[in-house]
Amino acid sequence: MKQPRRLPFLRIALLLAAAVALVAAFIWLAAPKPAAQGAEEPPLAGAPIGGDFALTDQNGKRVTNDSLKGNYRLIYFGYSFCPDVCPVDVQRMAQGLKSFEAANPALGARVQPVFVTVDPARDTPAVLKDFVAAFHPRLIGLTGTEAEIDTAKRAYRVYAAKGEGTDPQNYLMDHSAFIYLMDPDGKPVMYFERADDAAAIAAGLAKWVR
C-alpha cells in the first residue's frame, strides 16, 4: 500500500511548538504564586490552560466551553482507535470518578467527564458513542472538524499528530496524555499523569471539588 508522504520538517515544527507550550505551562507551575489568606491555591491556578471551543458530542449535540460551565470537568484528549494507552487512561479516569461518586454522591454529580478525540477523521459521533459507553454513563465524547479539534488542542496545550509511515486508514496518533481537572468556570485546577491511578484521581477530586 502506498505510504503517505513524510513531512519531517512539519513534524519537527509541531514537536517544537508543543514542547514550547508544555515548557511554558510547567514554568508557570514552578513559579511561586500568591495564595489567599488561609486558602491553598490549586496546582494549576492561573495557568494558561483551557478556553473556548465548539465540538460535537456522541449524540450529535454541540458542546462548548460555556455549555459545560457550572460543573467541574475531567478532560482527556485521546482517540478511540488507540490500541492500549487511551483505553487504560480513560478507564483510570472513570474509575476514579466512580469512587468519588460513591463516597460523595452530590459532589460527584458536579464532575463531568469529557473525552476529546485527537483523531476526528475516524472518531465520528457514532464511533465515540460506543467508545464512551464502555467507561462511564456520563462520559461525553467530543469530535469535530480538524479545525475545531485544533482549536481545542491549542486551548488545552495538547500536542497530537498522526504517526509517520502508516497507511491512510490504519495509523497511530502521537499525543500528550494528561487528565485535566477544570473548575466550574473552566479554569484549570490540576492535572493527573499516567502514574496516577484511580485512587489518586479520586483523592484529587475529594481535595478540590466543592
Side-chain angles (χ1 to χ4, degrees):
M1 182 174 293
K2 183 179 179 182
Q3 300 293 326
R5 188 175 60 179
R6 295 175 182 269
L7 298 173
F9 295 110
L10 176 58
R11 181 175 175 79
I12 290 170
L14 285 170
L15 285 168
L16 288 173
V20 168
L22 287 172
V23 167
F26 287 118
I27 288 175
W28 182 274
L29 284 178
K33 306 176 186 65
Q37 187 77 25
E40 181 182 356
E41 285 284 323
L44 289 179
I49 297 171
D52 293 334
F53 63 83
L55 298 170
T56 302
D57 73 10
Q58 68 268 30
N59 297 310
K61 178 183 175 181
R62 293 294 278 176
V63 175
T64 67
N65 185 51
D66 286 342
S67 70
L68 292 175
K69 283 189 174 179
N71 287 321
Y72 289 85
R73 302 150 225 182
L74 282 172
I75 299 184
Y76 179 82
F77 284 74
Y79 67 112
S80 72
F81 288 81
C82 180
D84 44 27
V85 174
C86 296
V88 172
D89 287 349
V90 178
Q91 183 69 5
R92 286 189 300 110
M93 181 174 76
Q95 288 177 341
L97 177 55
K98 287 176 181 177
S99 294
F100 180 63
E101 288 172 322
N104 306 275
L107 291 178
R110 297 197 65 200
V111 182
Q112 175 61 61
V114 180
F115 175 87
V116 184
T117 184
V118 295
D119 182 23
R122 294 182 296 184
D123 278 340
T124 64
V127 169
L128 288 181
K129 189 165 190 174
D130 289 338
F131 180 78
V132 299
F135 298 100
H136 192 284
R138 294 193 294 110
L139 179 58
I140 295 174
L142 297 180
T143 188
T145 65
E146 290 281 355
E148 289 169 342
I149 293 296
D150 285 346
T151 296
K153 289 190 301 184
R154 284 193 298 271
Y156 284 84
R157 304 298 189 265
V158 170
Y159 162 75
K162 185 184 294 186
E164 292 187 7
T166 54
D167 69 64
Q169 298 301 321
N170 184 26
Y171 55 85
L172 300 177
M173 297 290 295
D174 298 325
H175 64 93
S176 50
F178 299 113
I179 299 170
Y180 288 116
L181 174 62
M182 313 296 288
D183 75 8
D185 293 322
K187 297 177 181 178
V189 176
M190 67 175 301
Y191 70 92
F192 300 99
E193 299 178 294
R194 190 155 295 150
D196 294 318
D197 60 12
I201 293 172
L205 295 175
K207 181 172 182 177
W208 296 110
V209 175
R210 300 289 181 261

mmCIF file of all heavy atoms in Angstrom, residues 44 47-51 65 71-75 110-112 155-156 179-191 205 209:
data_model
loop_
_atom_site.group_PDB
_atom_site.id
_atom_site.type_symbol
_atom_site.label_atom_id
_atom_site.label_comp_id
_atom_site.label_asym_id
_atom_site.label_seq_id
_atom_site.Cartn_x
_atom_site.Cartn_y
_atom_site.Cartn_z
ATOM 1 N N LEU A 44 -2.691 24.287 39.378
ATOM 2 C CA LEU A 44 -2.696 24.947 38.072
ATOM 3 C C LEU A 44 -3.346 26.323 38.104
ATOM 4 O O LEU A 44 -3.687 26.862 37.050
ATOM 5 C CB LEU A 44 -3.416 24.073 37.037
ATOM 6 C CG LEU A 44 -2.701 22.811 36.584
ATOM 7 C CD1 LEU A 44 -3.554 22.035 35.579
ATOM 8 C CD2 LEU A 44 -1.349 23.120 35.955
ATOM 9 N N ALA A 47 -2.811 29.088 35.356
ATOM 10 C CA ALA A 47 -2.086 28.573 34.190
ATOM 11 C C ALA A 47 -2.892 28.809 32.912
ATOM 12 O O ALA A 47 -4.126 28.765 32.921
ATOM 13 C CB ALA A 47 -1.819 27.076 34.361
ATOM 14 N N PRO A 48 -2.227 29.062 31.789
ATOM 15 C CA PRO A 48 -2.932 29.352 30.526
ATOM 16 C C PRO A 48 -3.435 28.080 29.853
ATOM 17 O O PRO A 48 -3.013 27.719 28.749
ATOM 18 C CB PRO A 48 -1.850 30.054 29.701
ATOM 19 C CG PRO A 48 -0.576 29.422 30.168
ATOM 20 C CD PRO A 48 -0.756 29.186 31.643
ATOM 21 N N ILE A 49 -4.331 27.390 30.510
ATOM 22 C CA ILE A 49 -4.884 26.130 30.009
ATOM 23 C C ILE A 49 -6.402 26.235 30.010
ATOM 24 O O ILE A 49 -6.996 26.661 30.997
ATOM 25 C CB ILE A 49 -4.443 24.938 30.876
ATOM 26 C CG1 ILE A 49 -2.929 24.774 30.827
ATOM 27 C CG2 ILE A 49 -5.130 23.641 30.429
ATOM 28 C CD1 ILE A 49 -2.378 23.763 31.819
ATOM 29 N N GLY A 50 -7.034 25.853 28.898
ATOM 30 C CA GLY A 50 -8.479 25.925 28.770
ATOM 31 C C GLY A 50 -8.884 27.120 27.919
ATOM 32 O O GLY A 50 -8.070 27.988 27.591
ATOM 33 N N GLY A 51 -10.156 27.163 27.562
ATOM 34 C CA GLY A 51 -10.645 28.259 26.735
ATOM 35 C C GLY A 51 -11.812 27.815 25.874
ATOM 36 O O GLY A 51 -12.362 26.723 26.034
ATOM 37 N N ASN A 65 -17.407 25.341 25.613
ATOM 38 C CA ASN A 65 -16.877 25.611 26.943
ATOM 39 C C ASN A 65 -17.969 26.213 27.833
ATOM 40 O O ASN A 65 -18.112 25.847 29.004
ATOM 41 C CB ASN A 65 -15.687 26.566 26.829
ATOM 42 C CG ASN A 65 -14.998 26.803 28.159
ATOM 43 O OD1 ASN A 65 -14.645 25.864 28.857
ATOM 44 N ND2 ASN A 65 -14.794 28.065 28.506
ATOM 45 N N ASN A 71 -20.141 23.058 36.095
ATOM 46 C CA ASN A 71 -19.652 21.752 36.527
ATOM 47 C C ASN A 71 -18.127 21.713 36.483
ATOM 48 O O ASN A 71 -17.510 22.332 35.620
ATOM 49 C CB ASN A 71 -20.183 20.636 35.611
ATOM 50 C CG ASN A 71 -21.644 20.366 35.833
ATOM 51 O OD1 ASN A 71 -22.135 20.386 36.951
ATOM 52 N ND2 ASN A 71 -22.366 20.108 34.752
ATOM 53 N N TYR A 72 -17.541 20.987 37.422
ATOM 54 C CA TYR A 72 -16.141 20.623 37.279
ATOM 55 C C TYR A 72 -16.036 19.671 36.091
ATOM 56 O O TYR A 72 -17.004 19.012 35.717
ATOM 57 C CB TYR A 72 -15.633 19.925 38.536
ATOM 58 C CG TYR A 72 -15.473 20.831 39.731
ATOM 59 C CD1 TYR A 72 -16.563 21.109 40.553
ATOM 60 C CD2 TYR A 72 -14.244 21.398 40.040
ATOM 61 C CE1 TYR A 72 -16.428 21.937 41.670
ATOM 62 C CE2 TYR A 72 -14.100 22.224 41.145
ATOM 63 C CZ TYR A 72 -15.197 22.487 41.949
ATOM 64 O OH TYR A 72 -15.053 23.303 43.038
ATOM 65 N N ARG A 73 -14.842 19.586 35.499
ATOM 66 C CA ARG A 73 -14.666 18.699 34.347
ATOM 67 C C ARG A 73 -13.365 17.931 34.461
ATOM 68 O O ARG A 73 -12.333 18.500 34.810
ATOM 69 C CB ARG A 73 -14.618 19.502 33.042
ATOM 70 C CG ARG A 73 -15.845 20.333 32.797
ATOM 71 C CD ARG A 73 -15.503 21.579 31.994
ATOM 72 N NE ARG A 73 -16.159 22.740 32.577
ATOM 73 C CZ ARG A 73 -16.067 23.947 32.072
ATOM 74 N NH1 ARG A 73 -15.330 24.169 31.000
ATOM 75 N NH2 ARG A 73 -16.685 24.954 32.660
ATOM 76 N N LEU A 74 -13.442 16.653 34.177
ATOM 77 C CA LEU A 74 -12.254 15.836 33.948
ATOM 78 C C LEU A 74 -12.131 15.695 32.445
ATOM 79 O O LEU A 74 -13.027 15.150 31.793
ATOM 80 C CB LEU A 74 -12.400 14.460 34.599
ATOM 81 C CG LEU A 74 -12.192 14.373 36.108
ATOM 82 C CD1 LEU A 74 -12.574 12.976 36.597
ATOM 83 C CD2 LEU A 74 -10.747 14.686 36.493
ATOM 84 N N ILE A 75 -11.048 16.189 31.868
ATOM 85 C CA ILE A 75 -10.912 16.229 30.406
ATOM 86 C C ILE A 75 -9.662 15.479 29.976
ATOM 87 O O ILE A 75 -8.558 15.730 30.467
ATOM 88 C CB ILE A 75 -10.858 17.685 29.900
ATOM 89 C CG1 ILE A 75 -12.157 18.414 30.274
ATOM 90 C CG2 ILE A 75 -10.637 17.719 28.394
ATOM 91 C CD1 ILE A 75 -12.243 19.830 29.742
ATOM 92 N N ARG A 110 -21.309 16.753 40.313
ATOM 93 C CA ARG A 110 -20.843 18.037 39.797
ATOM 94 C C ARG A 110 -19.628 17.892 38.889
ATOM 95 O O ARG A 110 -19.153 18.879 38.332
ATOM 96 C CB ARG A 110 -20.483 18.974 40.947
ATOM 97 C CG ARG A 110 -21.638 19.355 41.854
ATOM 98 C CD ARG A 110 -21.274 20.563 42.671
ATOM 99 N NE ARG A 110 -21.077 21.727 41.805
ATOM 100 C CZ ARG A 110 -20.398 22.819 42.163
ATOM 101 N NH1 ARG A 110 -19.827 22.878 43.355
ATOM 102 N NH2 ARG A 110 -20.262 23.830 41.331
ATOM 103 N N VAL A 111 -19.130 16.669 38.727
ATOM 104 C CA VAL A 111 -17.943 16.439 37.894
ATOM 105 C C VAL A 111 -18.365 15.799 36.576
ATOM 106 O O VAL A 111 -18.924 14.705 36.563
ATOM 107 C CB VAL A 111 -16.921 15.535 38.605
ATOM 108 C CG1 VAL A 111 -15.681 15.355 37.732
ATOM 109 C CG2 VAL A 111 -16.541 16.116 39.968
ATOM 110 N N GLN A 112 -18.098 16.474 35.485
ATOM 111 C CA GLN A 112 -18.441 15.969 34.153
ATOM 112 C C GLN A 112 -17.197 15.388 33.479
ATOM 113 O O GLN A 112 -16.237 16.116 33.207
ATOM 114 C CB GLN A 112 -19.000 17.093 33.285
ATOM 115 C CG GLN A 112 -19.276 16.694 31.842
ATOM 116 C CD GLN A 112 -20.308 15.589 31.754
ATOM 117 O OE1 GLN A 112 -21.449 15.763 32.174
ATOM 118 N NE2 GLN A 112 -19.921 14.443 31.206
ATOM 119 N N ALA A 155 -6.134 25.341 22.996
ATOM 120 C CA ALA A 155 -6.642 25.876 24.259
ATOM 121 C C ALA A 155 -6.120 25.081 25.449
ATOM 122 O O ALA A 155 -5.803 25.653 26.497
ATOM 123 C CB ALA A 155 -8.168 25.876 24.252
ATOM 124 N N TYR A 156 -6.003 23.761 25.274
ATOM 125 C CA TYR A 156 -5.595 22.896 26.382
ATOM 126 C C TYR A 156 -4.124 22.483 26.298
ATOM 127 O O TYR A 156 -3.711 21.585 27.017
ATOM 128 C CB TYR A 156 -6.512 21.667 26.446
ATOM 129 C CG TYR A 156 -7.862 22.006 27.039
ATOM 130 C CD1 TYR A 156 -8.874 22.531 26.241
ATOM 131 C CD2 TYR A 156 -8.096 21.851 28.396
ATOM 132 C CE1 TYR A 156 -10.106 22.883 26.788
ATOM 133 C CE2 TYR A 156 -9.318 22.182 28.950
ATOM 134 C CZ TYR A 156 -10.325 22.700 28.138
ATOM 135 O OH TYR A 156 -11.539 23.049 28.698
ATOM 136 N N ILE A 179 -4.824 14.098 32.204
ATOM 137 C CA ILE A 179 -6.228 14.242 32.575
ATOM 138 C C ILE A 179 -6.326 15.549 33.344
ATOM 139 O O ILE A 179 -5.765 15.685 34.434
ATOM 140 C CB ILE A 179 -6.710 13.071 33.446
ATOM 141 C CG1 ILE A 179 -6.578 11.741 32.694
ATOM 142 C CG2 ILE A 179 -8.175 13.291 33.867
ATOM 143 C CD1 ILE A 179 -6.816 10.518 33.579
ATOM 144 N N TYR A 180 -7.002 16.520 32.774
ATOM 145 C CA TYR A 180 -7.143 17.816 33.423
ATOM 146 C C TYR A 180 -8.384 17.848 34.297
ATOM 147 O O TYR A 180 -9.449 17.348 33.908
ATOM 148 C CB TYR A 180 -7.279 18.931 32.379
ATOM 149 C CG TYR A 180 -6.015 19.266 31.624
ATOM 150 C CD1 TYR A 180 -5.940 19.062 30.250
ATOM 151 C CD2 TYR A 180 -4.917 19.820 32.269
ATOM 152 C CE1 TYR A 180 -4.794 19.383 29.542
ATOM 153 C CE2 TYR A 180 -3.765 20.149 31.572
ATOM 154 C CZ TYR A 180 -3.714 19.928 30.201
ATOM 155 O OH TYR A 180 -2.574 20.247 29.498
ATOM 156 N N LEU A 181 -8.273 18.474 35.463
ATOM 157 C CA LEU A 181 -9.442 18.836 36.264
ATOM 158 C C LEU A 181 -9.635 20.334 36.118
ATOM 159 O O LEU A 181 -8.737 21.117 36.448
ATOM 160 C CB LEU A 181 -9.251 18.455 37.730
ATOM 161 C CG LEU A 181 -10.374 18.914 38.685
ATOM 162 C CD1 LEU A 181 -11.713 18.266 38.299
ATOM 163 C CD2 LEU A 181 -10.021 18.596 40.135
ATOM 164 N N MET A 182 -10.792 20.729 35.602
ATOM 165 C CA MET A 182 -11.128 22.137 35.415
ATOM 166 C C MET A 182 -12.246 22.502 36.381
ATOM 167 O O MET A 182 -13.097 21.671 36.718
ATOM 168 C CB MET A 182 -11.583 22.395 33.971
ATOM 169 C CG MET A 182 -10.703 21.785 32.888
ATOM 170 S SD MET A 182 -9.031 22.450 32.825
ATOM 171 C CE MET A 182 -9.325 24.102 32.159
ATOM 172 N N ASP A 183 -12.268 23.749 36.810
ATOM 173 C CA ASP A 183 -13.291 24.164 37.771
ATOM 174 C C ASP A 183 -14.583 24.548 37.050
ATOM 175 O O ASP A 183 -14.651 24.501 35.808
ATOM 176 C CB ASP A 183 -12.755 25.287 38.671
ATOM 177 C CG ASP A 183 -12.676 26.654 38.000
ATOM 178 O OD1 ASP A 183 -13.177 26.822 36.870
ATOM 179 O OD2 ASP A 183 -12.104 27.572 38.615
ATOM 180 N N PRO A 184 -15.639 24.923 37.784
ATOM 181 C CA PRO A 184 -16.920 25.238 37.133
ATOM 182 C C PRO A 184 -16.872 26.410 36.162
ATOM 183 O O PRO A 184 -17.770 26.549 35.324
ATOM 184 C CB PRO A 184 -17.849 25.527 38.319
ATOM 185 C CG PRO A 184 -17.298 24.714 39.438
ATOM 186 C CD PRO A 184 -15.797 24.810 39.256
ATOM 187 N N ASP A 185 -15.854 27.253 36.273
ATOM 188 C CA ASP A 185 -15.703 28.360 35.324
ATOM 189 C C ASP A 185 -14.797 27.995 34.150
ATOM 190 O O ASP A 185 -14.499 28.847 33.314
ATOM 191 C CB ASP A 185 -15.137 29.596 36.038
ATOM 192 C CG ASP A 185 -16.126 30.179 37.045
ATOM 193 O OD1 ASP A 185 -17.337 30.188 36.741
ATOM 194 O OD2 ASP A 185 -15.687 30.603 38.120
ATOM 195 N N GLY A 186 -14.339 26.752 34.113
ATOM 196 C CA GLY A 186 -13.462 26.327 33.031
ATOM 197 C C GLY A 186 -12.013 26.674 33.255
ATOM 198 O O GLY A 186 -11.211 26.626 32.318
ATOM 199 N N LYS A 187 -11.643 27.005 34.504
ATOM 200 C CA LYS A 187 -10.247 27.320 34.814
ATOM 201 C C LYS A 187 -9.538 26.070 35.323
ATOM 202 O O LYS A 187 -10.156 25.222 35.981
ATOM 203 C CB LYS A 187 -10.183 28.425 35.859
ATOM 204 C CG LYS A 187 -10.773 29.744 35.381
ATOM 205 C CD LYS A 187 -10.758 30.792 36.472
ATOM 206 C CE LYS A 187 -11.378 32.099 35.984
ATOM 207 N NZ LYS A 187 -11.429 33.125 37.057
ATOM 208 N N PRO A 188 -8.248 25.920 35.028
ATOM 209 C CA PRO A 188 -7.539 24.699 35.412
ATOM 210 C C PRO A 188 -7.303 24.607 36.917
ATOM 211 O O PRO A 188 -6.949 25.597 37.562
ATOM 212 C CB PRO A 188 -6.217 24.795 34.653
ATOM 213 C CG PRO A 188 -5.992 26.271 34.503
ATOM 214 C CD PRO A 188 -7.359 26.869 34.314
ATOM 215 N N VAL A 189 -7.504 23.412 37.447
ATOM 216 C CA VAL A 189 -7.276 23.153 38.865
ATOM 217 C C VAL A 189 -6.000 22.326 39.044
ATOM 218 O O VAL A 189 -5.094 22.711 39.776
ATOM 219 C CB VAL A 189 -8.472 22.405 39.499
ATOM 220 C CG1 VAL A 189 -8.184 22.045 40.948
ATOM 221 C CG2 VAL A 189 -9.740 23.252 39.384
ATOM 222 N N MET A 190 -5.926 21.184 38.363
ATOM 223 C CA MET A 190 -4.765 20.297 38.456
ATOM 224 C C MET A 190 -4.797 19.344 37.271
ATOM 225 O O MET A 190 -5.760 19.326 36.493
ATOM 226 C CB MET A 190 -4.777 19.496 39.765
ATOM 227 C CG MET A 190 -5.902 18.483 39.878
ATOM 228 S SD MET A 190 -5.804 17.455 41.385
ATOM 229 C CE MET A 190 -4.192 16.677 41.177
ATOM 230 N N TYR A 191 -3.740 18.555 37.134
ATOM 231 C CA TYR A 191 -3.746 17.514 36.121
ATOM 232 C C TYR A 191 -3.249 16.218 36.746
ATOM 233 O O TYR A 191 -2.542 16.199 37.746
ATOM 234 C CB TYR A 191 -2.882 17.887 34.907
ATOM 235 C CG TYR A 191 -1.399 17.908 35.173
ATOM 236 C CD1 TYR A 191 -0.610 16.773 34.949
ATOM 237 C CD2 TYR A 191 -0.772 19.052 35.646
ATOM 238 C CE1 TYR A 191 0.749 16.784 35.196
ATOM 239 C CE2 TYR A 191 0.588 19.069 35.897
ATOM 240 C CZ TYR A 191 1.346 17.945 35.674
ATOM 241 O OH TYR A 191 2.689 17.956 35.929
ATOM 242 N N LEU A 205 -10.001 14.638 43.359
ATOM 243 C CA LEU A 205 -11.365 15.157 43.307
ATOM 244 C C LEU A 205 -11.854 15.520 44.706
ATOM 245 O O LEU A 205 -12.479 16.571 44.920
ATOM 246 C CB LEU A 205 -12.299 14.145 42.653
ATOM 247 C CG LEU A 205 -12.023 13.836 41.178
ATOM 248 C CD1 LEU A 205 -12.954 12.724 40.688
ATOM 249 C CD2 LEU A 205 -12.193 15.075 40.319
ATOM 250 N N VAL A 209 -12.882 19.416 44.624
ATOM 251 C CA VAL A 209 -14.279 19.630 44.220
ATOM 252 C C VAL A 209 -15.086 20.064 45.444
ATOM 253 O O VAL A 209 -15.078 19.390 46.481
ATOM 254 C CB VAL A 209 -14.871 18.351 43.601
ATOM 255 C CG1 VAL A 209 -16.359 18.546 43.302
ATOM 256 C CG2 VAL A 209 -14.120 17.990 42.324
#
